[in-house]
Amino acid sequence: ERLGVSVQELEGMTFGQIIPSETGKSRINYYRQVRESGKPVRFTDERMGRTYDNTMFPAPATTGVSRRVAVFARDVTDTVSMVNALAQSEKRFRDLFQHIPVPTYVWHWNGIDFILQQANSDANKITNGKANEILGITLDQLYSRTHPDIIADIQKCFATQSGFKSEMEYLLLATGKKHFFEVHYEFVPPDDVVLHTVDLTARREAEIALQTSYTVMEQKVVERTRELAAVNEQLRVERELLNQKNAAMRELITQISDSKKTLADSIQTNLQRVT
């Protein structure tokens, strides 16, 4: 049926007559190999745009000589297409995973503990390539002494099968630098927990610098306010002294005016008397 001829027509035909092509030549070699070795062979070939999985078995005669070969050919075109599509999909997923723009880690539950299964390029970049070196290590081995909180969060994510995020300070042993991360935990069925770690170190440092600047400014404002209060108090005292001096000056001017008037009156009286 595959070749488009009947069984009666096929009987008695030579192999070259049935498959007159390069595929036929390679098949002849497989036939000879099976007959000479007495062992089966398995191979894949293509004919007329279809892919076949072939197995040849020796069929010894009563004399023990393998003159006949039994061939089983299975059309695996659709299977191969699906496998290729799956391989392309997996490659695309790996490429996408590697290009996630934040350090990302995949922890796999093996029934006993979580195993670090994958780390993307950003994870290796921030750890100077150390992330790939710890692939296969267990969660307990990595964090039991330093970060039991991470263990608890991964276990919580796996148990609840739900995602959440938390913030934490983390010392990267590979670089010796402290970082501040916003960690996103995501459950991926059936047995994985994915961690996306957003590095907030620069933002946190900026916030600390800004807060420090605010604190310094507040201190300067308090000091300047204190200085202004002292200056105002000094001005108030000087103003009071000036007011007192002005009052004394007015009183002195009044006394002088009175004295001048008295003197003028006395002079006028004397003039009148003399006159």
Side-chain angles (χ1 to χ4, degrees):
E1 184 178 347
R2 179 186 303 163
L3 298 173
V5 294
S6 66
V7 174
Q8 289 76 14
E9 292 175 302
L10 283 174
E11 290 179 350
M13 292 177 68
T14 65
F15 190 81
Q17 291 173 322
I18 297 174
I19 310 179
S21 62
E22 291 298 323
T23 302
K25 293 179 181 179
S26 63
R27 285 243 180 157
I28 285 290
N29 293 330
Y30 284 122
Y31 273 112
R32 291 170 179 167
Q33 179 181 339
V34 172
R35 289 184 58 190
E36 292 173 2
S37 66
K39 297 179 181 180
V41 295
R42 183 176 180 179
F43 60 92
T44 302
D45 62 10
E46 294 186 3
R47 296 196 307 277
M48 295 180 292
R50 307 295 294 180
T51 303
Y52 296 96
D53 180 25
N54 306 284
T55 307
M56 293 184 177
F57 294 93
T62 55
T63 59
V65 178
S66 298
R67 287 191 168 275
R68 295 180 300 171
V69 176
V71 182
F72 299 88
R74 184 166 60 94
D75 189 339
V76 294
T77 306
D78 295 338
T79 302
V80 170
S81 297
M82 287 189 293
V83 169
N84 290 337
L86 181 61
Q88 291 176 359
S89 177
E90 289 178 349
K91 181 180 182 302
R92 178 171 174 78
F93 168 76
R94 287 193 296 270
D95 291 342
L96 289 173
F97 176 78
Q98 289 300 325
H99 288 84
I100 294 175
V102 294
T104 302
Y105 309 85
V106 178
W107 288 92
H108 175 73
W109 173 250
N110 65 359
I112 300 174
D113 198 354
F114 289 93
I115 305 296
L116 183 59
Q117 192 173 61
Q118 296 183 65
N120 72 346
S121 58
D122 265 38
N124 278 286
K125 187 184 300 181
I126 198 172
T127 59
N128 290 340
K130 298 296 183 181
N132 278 342
E133 295 181 6
I134 59 174
L135 294 180
I137 197 169
T138 67
L139 186 62
D140 184 70
Q141 289 173 327
L142 189 61
Y143 290 131
S144 60
R145 294 184 179 180
T146 56
H147 283 285
D149 52 331
I150 296 180
I151 295 178
D153 284 342
I154 291 177
Q155 290 173 342
K156 173 186 173 183
C157 180
F158 187 76
T160 61
Q161 298 187 2
S162 60
F164 59 91
K165 65 181 180 180
S166 65
E167 295 184 353
M168 61 177 296
E169 191 175 73
Y170 189 91
L171 175 63
L172 283 175
L173 298 179
T175 61
K177 296 181 180 179
K178 281 188 178 181
H179 290 256
F180 190 81
F181 290 113
E182 181 181 76
V183 185
H184 296 252
Y185 297 85
E186 297 293 341
F187 172 73
V188 179
D191 301 313
D192 294 330
V193 174
V194 178
L195 273 66
H196 301 287
T197 54
V198 182
D199 193 348
L200 303 180
T201 307
R203 191 184 80 178
R204 173 53 68 92
E205 290 175 349
E207 289 175 350
I208 292 174
L210 185 61
Q211 184 60 46
T212 302
S213 177
Y214 281 153
T215 302
V216 171
M217 289 179 63
E218 288 175 353
Q219 291 175 350
K220 288 184 177 180
V221 168
V222 170
E223 293 175 359
R224 189 60 56 84
T225 302
R226 189 182 300 116
E227 291 174 359
L228 289 174
V231 171
N232 287 335
E233 178 63 21
Q234 183 178 356
L235 290 174
R236 187 188 65 79
V237 172
E238 291 178 355
R239 191 180 298 112
E240 288 182 357
L241 291 174
L242 182 60
N243 289 336
Q244 292 175 3
K245 290 179 179 180
N246 287 338
M249 185 67 69
R250 285 193 295 271
E251 184 178 353
L252 179 59
I253 291 172
T254 301
Q255 291 177 358
I256 292 173
S257 296
D258 292 343
S259 297
K260 287 170 66 177
K261 185 179 180 182
T262 302
L263 180 60
D265 291 343
S266 176
I267 292 172
Q268 184 67 27
T269 302
N270 290 333
L271 285 176
Q272 290 176 353
R273 184 179 299 117
V274 170
T275 303

